[in-house]
Amino acid sequence: MFQKEQQAIEAKIRAYCAQNDIPLSTLKWSPIPFSGEWGISTSFFQTAADEARAGRGGKPVPQRAQEIAEQVKSQIGNVEGISHVEAVKGYLNLYFLTSEYARRVVDEILASRADFGRGPVKNERVMVEYAQPNTHHSFHIGHARTTLLGESLARIMEFAGFDTIRASYPGDIGLGVITILWAYDKFYKGQEPQGVHERGQWLLKIYAEATAMLEPKENETPEEKARREACDTERREMYRKWDAGDKYVRDLWLETREWSLEELRDILSMLDIKIDVWFYESEVDEPSKAIVEELLQRGIAEDERPQGGPVIIKIDEKLGLTKEKYRTAVILRSDGTSLYLTKDLALAKVKFKQYHVDRSIYVVDFRQNLHFQQAFKILELWGFPQAAKCYHLSYGYITLPEGAMSARRGRVVLFKDVADEAVKRVLAVESEKSGDIPEGEREKIAAQIGLGALAYSILSVDNNKDIVFDMDAALSFDGRTGPYIQNAHVRANSILKKAGAVPEKADFSDTLDPHEIQLIDLLSRFPGTVEQAANEYRPLVMAAYAHDLANVFHSFYHAVPVLQTDDPKIRDARLRLVAAAKQVIANALRLLDIQAPDVM
Ligand code: ARG
């Protein structure tokens, strides 16, 4: 807000230090929490310590830091917008005129609008990989977690200034996929239902049936056993044919794969998500085998095939670790087939070499923690500098109050069902109170609220914690929910609508109410919150902020009259403040992939 003034002051500090041969370290400013005035502060401890290290000290560091702060302070003089300057305990504190600070925060928001909070261009490319269910069955509620966490993170990174690529990597091959294919071909060919979601769900049903069929049962008769084994042989034969590129199997596989992808695309578009790059597990299978050769030649991997074993990498040993941490990884089975890990090595190479990715983020559940630790370490041994900027955003389960899910058992809660149910419930309430919502808009707004509730209930929980999804709680207008935040946006909008127009400018020189102060304070923290969420790869930071902001706005709304104010000057200032709050709530919600309706 005070960049120009800050720069001018920094220039004075630098000039002074240069003249006096003080080895000034980089000036880092941090905000001073409001206590009657807003301000920023920097310290001179580092500078004093550098001086001492250079043998030019003589005084204890804290004492010298304070001395520098005082000397620098005397150089600053009067600066417009700055109320006063302090040198305390080695810190230099600049305080802003409250009215000026408030005006600038609001003006900047209303000038930048949807761009308020956008970070400076970072000249770094990041790829966020998420929304990657395995194909050949349906999208369940657990997949919503990778999808929403990934999308929110991608939005945050992009807004923070990173060149951002959104990628997905569906698992489209493996024994599970082949099992479905086999059962479909054998028992159901030609019976597939129509409809984007029906087909996925139907494949899931086949999967559960086939798994049950192939599992050894208790008290199995010899005939049952023989039948089961014959089925298993057939299925493995089908995998072999797939591997050999058999046209029939490949066509069948591609056709059914497309069903799942259609469903996935439908859900993504419902959530307003556009994936830039699609990778498929099947496509990195061949390249991964070549990588095994490369890693062998480079002496990173060890070949135990001559003794009938696999190809392995002794990660701990290669890193010189004596304690077991990353263990030994198999990268090629003795039968010559590659593994999930091997494919990830091939995929990473494509990301680095072909897409020139500097940072690579994987939004995948916690069961793959060790997998990614191993993958990143192997990439490091292999010599990719980007390995240091690979990050696994791990997350826990989503369960429903009724219990855990299992795709193999056909016991899953489908995302589409939960989303439809959420929207249906909102619609029922809406029609009850109907009120401000035009008839034709109801469905659209119900979808915004229902999906917003779902998204927020996922993003507002620490990624490492499990979520027990409770529909009633998520849809509530009170508490930590999406609708509670959306409702703050709606209230701000209703004030502005009644007012007609937002004044072009206003001054904040009248004493501010504590609710106004709190609101301005939070609004001014939005850019810093974007940066923090991006630095920590944590959408939760933004989710918590959005709730705090809504909370403060609701309190302001109840306590501070805006349209009822007699003083036109105060009214103008408050109207602009409300417009600014509405904008920042919308910006924060956007980063959470939640819509901000004007009415609800
Ligand atoms: N399809 C995988 C699964 O469902 C997730 C893919 C994770 N990404 C990766 N690069 N390994 O478990």
Side-chain angles (χ1 to χ4, degrees):
M1 309 298 156
F2 285 82
Q3 277 91 346
K4 264 211 328 255
E5 290 79 359
Q6 190 179 316
Q7 275 164 17
I9 290 170
E10 278 184 21
K12 285 184 189 170
I13 298 175
R14 251 183 254 114
Y16 175 81
C17 290
Q19 269 164 26
N20 294 279
D21 212 15
I22 300 170
L24 182 66
S25 74
T26 335
L27 284 165
K28 281 197 215 89
W29 297 91
S30 46
I32 303 173
F34 187 83
S35 58
E37 273 177 318
W38 280 285
I40 52 174
S41 141
T42 189
S43 87
F44 294 95
F45 293 102
Q46 191 58 48
T47 301
D50 290 346
E51 221 179 39
R53 207 168 306 122
R56 296 197 275 113
K59 284 186 192 136
V61 168
Q63 195 185 330
R64 175 62 184 146
Q66 172 61 12
E67 202 174 88
I68 301 174
E70 276 165 23
Q71 289 167 1
V72 155
K73 178 189 164 211
S74 68
Q75 299 299 307
I76 292 175
N78 276 340
V79 180
E80 218 191 300
I82 306 276
S83 76
H84 64 288
V85 182
E86 279 174 1
V88 196
K89 296 188 174 146
Y91 284 88
L92 184 74
N93 301 330
L94 307 179
Y95 289 95
F96 307 125
L97 285 170
T98 301
S99 57
E100 190 57 15
Y101 185 83
R103 186 185 66 77
R104 289 193 194 196
V105 170
V106 169
D107 283 358
E108 189 171 321
I109 294 167
L110 294 179
S112 322
R113 291 273 159 196
D115 278 327
F116 177 70
R118 188 184 283 285
V121 173
K122 301 278 194 291
N123 291 317
E124 245 189 276
R125 177 172 288 177
V126 56
M127 181 176 273
V128 186
E129 190 214 284
Y130 61 106
Q132 47 218 163
N134 291 335
T135 60
H136 296 79
H137 47 72
S138 220
F139 193 95
H140 60 64
I141 184 82
H143 296 130
R145 205 162 182 187
T146 159
T147 304
L148 289 161
L149 269 175
E151 177 62 18
S152 175
L153 185 62
R155 290 180 183 215
I156 289 167
M157 297 305 283
E158 197 165 51
F159 199 58
F162 290 94
D163 175 11
T164 305
I165 304 181
R166 291 162 168 81
S168 175
Y169 178 56
D172 60 341
I173 192 60
L175 196 56
V177 168
I178 292 291
T179 303
I180 296 164
L181 218 55
W182 163 80
Y184 166 61
D185 190 44
K186 191 171 168 82
F187 304 111
Y188 291 102
K189 192 81 196 292
Q191 299 175 33
E192 61 274 11
Q194 294 306 307
V196 173
H197 293 274
E198 288 75 5
R199 276 198 301 229
Q201 294 165 19
W202 183 72
L203 288 175
L204 184 68
K205 190 188 78 156
I206 296 182
Y207 185 43
E209 273 177 28
T211 320
M213 198 182 297
L214 291 157
E215 238 168 35
K217 281 168 218 44
E218 278 176 50
N219 310 321
E220 213 171 34
T221 63
E223 296 84 69
E224 280 172 340
K225 181 160 188 261
R227 203 174 329 126
R228 177 169 58 74
E229 283 172 357
C231 286
D232 191 43
T233 311
E234 272 177 37
R235 147 174 96 143
R236 286 178 197 277
E237 171 61 12
M238 193 174 219
Y239 205 168
R240 199 198 53 74
K241 282 186 171 165
W242 182 91
D243 242 335
D246 178 275
K247 180 156 168 27
Y248 179 79
V249 175
R250 285 280 175 148
D251 285 350
L252 194 69
W253 168 71
L254 277 180
E255 189 193 349
T256 43
R257 183 178 88 162
E258 193 51 29
W259 297 348
S260 323
L261 295 176
E262 247 176 54
E263 182 184 27
L264 177 57
R265 287 193 294 262
D266 185 68
I267 286 171
L268 293 177
S269 94
M270 192 168 134
L271 295 172
D272 194 21
I273 296 174
K274 292 176 202 72
I275 297 291
D276 303 306
V277 187
W278 291 89
F279 299 113
Y280 297 100
E281 231 178 279
S282 59
E283 285 171 0
V284 279
D285 191 48
E286 270 316 301
S288 71
K289 292 176 187 163
I291 284 169
V292 172
E293 280 317 309
E294 186 181 337
L295 291 171
L296 277 170
Q297 270 162 29
R298 300 261 312 268
I300 297 165
E302 286 162 48
D303 200 348
E304 297 189 335
R305 281 175 297 183
Q307 299 88 48
V311 178
I312 58 170
I313 301 182
K314 294 181 178 163
I315 308 177
D316 288 332
E317 193 183 297
K318 291 282 166 207
L319 290 168
L321 299 177
T322 46
K323 276 225 300 257
E324 180 181 88
K325 177 144 192 218
Y326 302 101
R327 309 186 191 172
T328 290
V330 175
I331 57 168
L332 196 71
R333 293 194 190 89
S334 54
D335 66 4
T337 53
S338 82
L339 292 97
Y340 182 56
L341 178 63
T342 329
K343 292 179 214 166
D344 254 316
L345 300 176
L347 178 66
K349 185 172 173 178
V350 174
K351 290 180 179 179
F352 299 151
K353 294 251 166 183
Q354 206 170 313
Y355 289 90
H356 308 286
V357 166
D358 302 299
R359 296 181 188 224
S360 191
I361 302 173
Y362 300 75
V363 188
V364 184
D365 75 65
F366 74 99
R367 287 168 301 177
Q368 300 190 22
N369 284 359
L370 177 63
H371 165 80
F372 283 110
Q373 286 174 10
Q374 292 183 322
F376 300 164
K377 280 297 159 190
I378 297 174
L379 293 172
E380 184 185 313
L381 290 169
W382 193 359
F384 282 110
Q386 298 95 326
K389 287 191 176 179
C390 282
Y391 182 75
H392 173 206
L393 176 57
S394 166
Y395 59 85
Y397 287 117
I398 298 192
T399 56
L400 292 161
E402 44 273 30
M405 298 188 285
S406 156
R408 285 163 52 84
R409 315 249 167 246
R411 221 179 37 227
V412 303
V413 176
L414 298 171
F415 172 78
K416 185 74 167 59
D417 290 346
V418 177
D420 288 350
E421 174 67 19
V423 177
K424 211 173 80 197
R425 289 199 200 181
V426 179
L427 208 51
V429 178
E430 259 180 20
S431 350
E432 246 169 57
K433 16 174 243 181
S434 43
D436 312 352
I437 309 173
E439 188 70 38
E441 295 269 287
R442 278 193 202 152
E443 294 221 1
K444 190 181 104 198
I445 290 170
Q448 295 181 342
I449 300 170
L451 295 176
L454 207 54
Y456 196 78
S457 68
I458 289 176
L459 296 174
S460 58
V461 176
D462 186 281
N463 52 290
N464 290 306
K465 293 213 177 95
D466 289 345
I467 295 176
V468 181
F469 178 72
D470 177 341
M471 176 86 74
D472 293 321
L475 291 176
S476 163
F477 274 46
D478 296 311
R480 296 195 164 264
T481 70
Y484 176 78
I485 303 167
Q486 290 173 317
N487 196 32
H489 187 263
V490 167
R491 282 180 163 168
N493 182 65
S494 85
I495 296 175
L496 298 174
K497 217 169 98 198
K498 281 189 204 130
V502 178
E504 286 299 315
K505 56 182 192 311
D507 93 59
F508 286 80
S509 56
D510 286 281
T511 310
L512 294 169
D513 182 282
H515 290 95
E516 291 177 277
I517 302 251
Q518 263 199 326
L519 188 52
I520 292 162
D521 192 39
L522 264 177
L523 293 174
S524 73
R525 285 168 195 269
F526 180 65
T529 306
V530 172
E531 206 178 283
Q532 188 197 345
N535 283 342
E536 298 177 6
Y537 300 135
R538 252 178 9 133
L540 175 64
V541 169
M542 189 50 67
Y545 172 86
H547 174 267
D548 291 348
L549 179 56
N551 197 24
V552 165
F553 184 78
H554 284 305
S555 306
F556 165 89
Y557 179 84
H558 290 303
V560 183
V562 179
L563 299 172
Q564 272 76 32
T565 315
D566 299 328
D567 186 336
K569 191 172 139 224
I570 296 183
R571 188 185 129 114
D572 281 359
R574 289 187 179 160
L575 271 176
R576 278 182 71 76
L577 178 56
V578 169
K582 179 185 171 198
Q583 183 67 56
V584 178
I585 295 169
N587 291 7
L589 284 175
R590 193 182 66 226
L591 297 180
L592 301 170
D593 193 16
I594 297 176
Q595 306 273 337
D598 277 342
V599 284
M600 66 194 271

